[in-house]
Amino acid sequence: MRVLVTGGAGYIGSHMVKMLLEQSVEVAIFDNFSTGHRDAVLGGTLVEGDILDLSALDAAFRRNRFDAVMHFASLIQVEESMREPAKYFRNNIVGTVHLLDIAVAHGVKHFVFSSSAAIFGEPCYTPIDEEHPTQPLSPYGFSKLAVERVLADYERAYGLHSISLRYFNAAGADPEGNRGEAHDPETHLIPLILQAASGRRGSVKIYGDDYPTADGTCVRDYVHVVDLCDAHLLALEYLRRTNRSAAFNLGNSRGYSVKEVIGAAERVVGRSVPVERHDRRPGDPAILVADSTRAKAELGWRPRFDDIDTIVRHAWQWEQRLAKKEKVAN
Ligand code: UDP
């Protein structure tokens, strides 16, 4: 089997490439390195290109016949998407339509899409299942929802079968320590806490402690990046077995507050983490927790690293590696 992984040099994409290679799948990575890292390419064939560049995409599909595409390439910063919606619509929607058109033209039948809990907007109830209304609050969330709609129409019209995987809070790192998260700027809670723990950052801000939750801080469903990759493999198997499209919410169905995550980090690291109280961040719902019953029932998904201490421990291994590298560079 040969799979094209767009965004294969990014956080989740690079973990996926590693897992696919371990499964003896042939992999080609398509990445423009706008946010991905060259040292995240641990194997496979690299095609440097942009999903907005139709000729670069066409060349990649001419060179190889792909059985499936896994599409991770995407801009992901909610706040940036509010300031620059055009950038998000162009990259995340138009770019994906380009990719789909070329994939369809080359006879690809199976497509796995990185969607997001951001498609749901403010929760009407918790935990959030697949029937929950979709009212995204940001251009980022809208861009993911728009692609899900495009995929439904492409199946009807062109016979492209797809699975949309709505990640809740992707977190953690390769348990072997070879890969992890390295966004620039970093906006995600766990890496920011661990940077404060390693001394690469003075403190971590707590965005709001007056939410209607047990300790006043926001509750999120953190899901290990390796478990997300497992879900992608299962999605591919499902597509090959059933030729049916579907969407699944991926989380551990258990929420942790910002303060609880800081507590987990302090247990893992063995010292206290400097924190700073800050105003709420606009657009953050109080609680976001997934109901992943459908993914478990239909894909057979079984998260392996579902406790927060393990997620943070793997992220800490990676943070220590980054901190060491930074020290050497300075
Ligand atoms: N958060 C925080 N301080 C930070 C970054 C995030 O308190 O420096 C909070 C944020 O308000 C949210 C949770 O941590 O409730 C997770 O945020 P993240 O940006 O990691 O993911 P999101 O839930 O926005 O996708």
Side-chain angles (χ1 to χ4, degrees):
M1 180 158 61
R2 193 181 294 131
V3 176
L4 180 71
V5 180
T6 72
Y11 170 40
I12 306 172
S14 63
H15 287 83
M16 189 73 241
V17 169
K18 182 170 184 268
M19 188 179 281
L20 288 166
L21 292 171
E22 284 164 2
Q23 301 281 321
S24 305
V25 174
E26 270 187 58
V27 177
I29 296 169
F30 191 89
D31 204 298
N32 66 359
F33 294 104
S34 61
T35 57
H37 303 277
R38 285 181 199 277
D39 59 9
V41 178
L42 302 179
T45 309
L46 173 65
V47 183
E48 190 168 347
D50 196 307
I51 52 172
L52 286 166
D53 181 350
L54 278 166
S55 56
L57 280 170
D58 194 54
F61 280 82
R62 268 181 207 289
R63 220 168 302 143
N64 288 295
R65 189 195 53 77
F66 296 111
D67 300 291
V69 173
M70 290 186 174
H71 180 36
F72 295 89
S74 159
L75 298 174
I76 59 158
Q77 288 181 44
V78 171
E79 192 266 336
E80 182 188 50
S81 81
M82 305 288 234
R83 282 185 283 112
E84 296 186 72
K87 188 171 161 186
Y88 278 70
F89 297 154
R90 201 180 310 116
N91 278 279
N92 293 4
I93 304 177
V94 178
T96 303
V97 171
H98 283 175
L99 171 64
L100 289 170
D101 288 347
I102 299 290
V104 166
H106 287 271
V108 173
K109 292 278 175 236
H110 297 147
F111 192 90
V112 185
F113 173 57
S114 301
S115 189
S116 165
I119 66 167
F120 295 111
E122 191 65 46
C124 306
Y125 56 84
T126 187
I128 297 176
D129 58 16
E130 287 79 6
E131 311 310 321
H132 189 284
T134 47
Q135 286 177 318
L137 300 172
S138 66
Y140 166 70
F142 175 76
S143 73
K144 294 289 175 181
L145 182 61
V147 169
E148 289 202 15
R149 298 274 161 85
V150 167
L151 287 171
D153 289 336
Y154 271 46
E155 173 167 57
R156 260 189 303 275
Y158 311 125
L160 178 73
H161 308 295
S162 66
I163 302 278
S164 294
L165 298 174
R166 288 96 169 243
Y167 312 157
F168 278 63
N169 285 63
D174 171 30
E176 287 158 20
N178 294 323
R179 285 296 314 133
E181 191 167 3
H183 297 112
D184 185 19
E186 189 54 75
T187 61
H188 292 125
L189 181 65
I190 292 177
L192 288 172
I193 294 172
L194 296 176
Q195 286 176 14
S198 72
R200 288 209 296 147
R201 175 177 299 271
S203 63
V204 62
K205 296 187 177 78
I206 296 179
Y207 290 141
D209 59 3
D210 56 353
Y211 282 95
T213 59
D215 65 19
T217 64
C218 284
V219 170
R220 293 288 179 274
D221 187 340
Y222 296 89
V223 50
H224 199 291
V225 61
V226 168
D227 289 325
L228 291 178
C229 294
D230 280 347
H232 281 73
L233 277 188
L234 292 166
L236 210 55
E237 271 175 43
Y238 178 95
L239 284 169
R240 291 163 74 84
R241 192 173 64 240
T242 66
N243 267 334
R244 274 208 339 250
S245 293
F248 299 102
N249 294 355
L250 298 182
N252 285 310
S253 311
R254 158 84 161 93
Y256 292 92
S257 73
V258 172
K259 284 187 180 165
E260 284 176 325
V261 178
I262 293 170
E266 292 181 332
R267 278 194 298 278
V268 166
V269 172
R271 55 177 173 270
S272 68
V273 175
V275 298
E276 217 180 299
R277 209 214 141 272
H278 199 273
D279 289 342
R280 289 182 178 197
R281 197 172 62 173
D284 272 342
I287 301 175
L288 275 179
V289 175
D291 179 338
S292 292
T293 309
R294 187 184 285 179
K296 288 175 182 156
E298 293 194 27
L299 295 178
W301 186 51
R302 297 279 172 276
R304 292 187 265 166
F305 306 110
D306 60 353
D307 75 285
I308 194 70
D309 286 42
T310 306
I311 291 173
V312 171
R313 188 158 44 79
H314 292 161
W316 176 236
Q317 269 173 219
W318 176 247
E319 167 55 25
Q320 284 172 295
R321 190 165 148 173
L322 292 183
K324 205 157 141 196
K325 216 158 103 184
E326 194 174 279
K327 216 165 166 185
V328 171
N330 293 332

